[in-house]
Amino acid sequence: MFLDHFNVSPNLFNIFCGCLTVCLIKYLFNFINRFRKLPSGPWGLPILGYLPFIKKDAYIQMTELAKKYGPVFSFKCGQCDVVVINEVKAIEEALKNDHLLARPKTTFIPGRNPSLAEMSGETWKQQRRVALTILRNVGLGKSTLETKIKEEIGHFIDVLKSTHGKEVSFKELSGLSVANNISILMFGHRFEYDDPIGNEMRRNMQKVSDNIEYFTKFVFMPAIFFFVSLAAKFSPELRNANSSQKELEEKITEEVTKHREKKATHEIEDYIDGYLQEMDKLKDSNLSFDMNTLRRNTADFYAAGSDTTTNTLSFMMLYLITYPEYQQKIRDEIKETIGFERQPDYADRTSMPFTMAFIYESLRMSSLVPLNILRRASQDTKVMNHSIPKDTLVIFNFWAVHRDPNLWNDPHSFKPERFLSDDGTQVIKSPYLMPFSGGKRICPGATLALIELFLYLVSIVQNFIVSPPEGHKISDEINYIFIRMVKNPVKLTNFHTLKH
């Protein structure tokens, strides 16, 4: 007999089979009970769920699925239950739900400690409170930071003028400039555009973002973590993301070392200064105030604070070229309010409603982050009477909101006028515009981004006519990995110095 061959007691084997049967019955009961609670949605494959069927432009696919299954639907994705919310009222309710503030239990890059953006619970609350306090103390939201941004834009405009006629990527050059604004907050200084360290940090950040997909298998199939080293060997995307992230954090470590060499009495000038001081205060706490978290947080702030604004500016250049009549309207507004001699101030926005309407419409049309950074239900909860069991991953489809014909007239057309009053004298920001998410996990740099977008846009239109090279058409093709990006950003040769 089989049991005799392995010298296994029949009684022991029967106990084993009984326990296995109980476990299977319990698993099936929990699976069926959980399945009945979740909203309806598409079926997938055993083990893999719907993950193999996720398309490249997942945000468009989620919008189409909502037409079939309703504005709130669910599916199995790898090992995870996923609920997708596509309707504005449901998203607004979910953003107010404290049980939907958690992040997935795994990080987007396997094997790394979570950063502030990936934390949950009390640790996240404490880290966020400290981060916001430090950033406000070193200038975020203050006029001193605006002054530094204007100085940076001055350098940027001068370089644009000096390289007139040469083929230089606008995205590359604006990326270096925008990154300097967040570098001032993080490190206390900017980088020259030819600084090898600043350029290398930008390249590392870009490589990370180019290799981390939204529906990454390492989040939705956490069991694969047991094979991370094997996966890294055979996955060029994971290998590139890991190595680039490591190199970026090595550069940040060098910055931290320089900060540590300062005298203890040195005034806090940037995020690293403030965090090191907080580390000393909370070294005996259990809230992850350590060097690893400092590196992770700084890297994430650096990436989020430069990549999104840079890509939004690229979209704006595309819209300026595509709609030259709107570019002229902005220029006319500049002429009436600022003139062409002085730099714009953020306070000028109150006298420039069309320019602000152009920015809002650019944010809506570009929908740079069409799907939010994943949320996780920390306990059983509900949204619009739809049950969301504990540990379900939740996706907000901002793209669907920004393209909802019930909210926007002709939503697929670029129309800044939709954000203006009937007489065109006031800008009206719609509550349905959600470029920075919302609720307690709203992007902490939302105000900074708006300041930058206004100052860069006005400064560019104030000094240049933006147009395509003669005989060339600008492509409106989009790349999407984690954020939406202009596939072929405009080149510097498209800028012509404005004759006043």
Side-chain angles (χ1 to χ4, degrees), residues 221-289:
M221 299 189 69
I224 206 170
F225 276 7
F226 291 109
F227 308 99
V228 163
S229 59
L230 185 65
K233 183 177 180 181
F234 294 103
S235 170
E237 294 84 3
L238 179 58
R239 186 167 61 248
N240 289 337
N242 264 322
S243 62
S244 297
Q245 181 71 26
K246 182 179 179 181
E247 289 175 19
L248 176 58
E249 292 182 10
E250 285 174 355
K251 300 289 189 305
I252 292 171
T253 300
E254 293 173 10
E255 287 283 347
V256 173
T257 301
K258 293 176 185 176
H259 281 65
R260 280 193 174 280
E261 291 172 355
K262 295 177 183 178
K263 295 180 180 179
T265 56
H266 187 84
E267 182 182 355
I268 293 177
E269 296 180 343
D270 50 60
Y271 176 72
I272 293 177
D273 277 339
Y275 198 96
L276 288 173
Q277 185 182 87
E278 205 68 25
M279 276 177 56
D280 292 337
K281 289 182 186 176
L282 301 173
K283 58 185 177 182
D284 296 324
S285 73
N286 192 31
L287 294 171
S288 302
F289 282 87

Side-chain angles (χ1 to χ4, degrees), residues 420-432:
L420 292 173
S421 59
D422 291 340
D423 61 3
T425 60
Q426 290 185 320
V427 64
I428 302 171
K429 184 182 177 183
S430 169
Y432 309 133

Side-chain angles (χ1 to χ4, degrees), residues 107-110 112 118 205-219 235-242 244-245 480-483 485:
T107 55
F108 273 91
I109 299 179
R112 60 175 261 178
E118 298 165 310
M205 179 198 70
Q206 191 62 53
K207 287 179 183 177
V208 173
S209 62
D210 285 348
N211 287 282
I212 298 296
E213 296 179 338
Y214 188 89
F215 281 94
T216 172
K217 53 186 173 292
F218 300 107
V219 169
S235 170
E237 294 84 3
L238 179 58
R239 186 167 61 248
N240 289 337
N242 264 322
S244 297
Q245 181 71 26
Y480 174 68
I481 301 176
F482 201 93
I483 63 174
M485 297 174 282

Side-chain angles (χ1 to χ4, degrees), residues 114 119 127 275 288 290-298:
M119 291 176 177
Q127 288 277 345
Y275 198 96
S288 302
D290 52 36
M291 280 296 298
N292 280 334
T293 304
L294 172 56
R295 282 192 292 265
R296 302 285 190 266
N297 287 355
T298 306

Side-chain angles (χ1 to χ4, degrees), residues 182-198:
I182 198 67
S183 293
I184 290 168
L185 285 173
M186 294 294 105
F187 315 129
H189 64 85
R190 65 184 295 276
F191 294 93
E192 295 297 333
Y193 297 160
D194 59 355
D195 188 301
I197 295 178

Side-chain angles (χ1 to χ4, degrees), residues 71-72 85-97 100 382-386 396-398 400-402 404 406-407 430-434:
V72 181
I85 305 177
N86 300 269
E87 192 267 336
V88 67
K89 295 300 180 186
I91 290 178
E92 287 174 342
E93 181 182 317
L95 288 171
K96 298 174 184 176
N97 189 331
L100 296 178
K382 285 189 175 184
V383 172
M384 303 290 280
N385 292 320
H386 293 281
F396 305 144
N397 188 350
F398 297 123
V401 173
H402 290 164
D404 188 343
N406 297 313
L407 304 176
S430 169
Y432 309 133
L433 180 64
M434 301 177 169

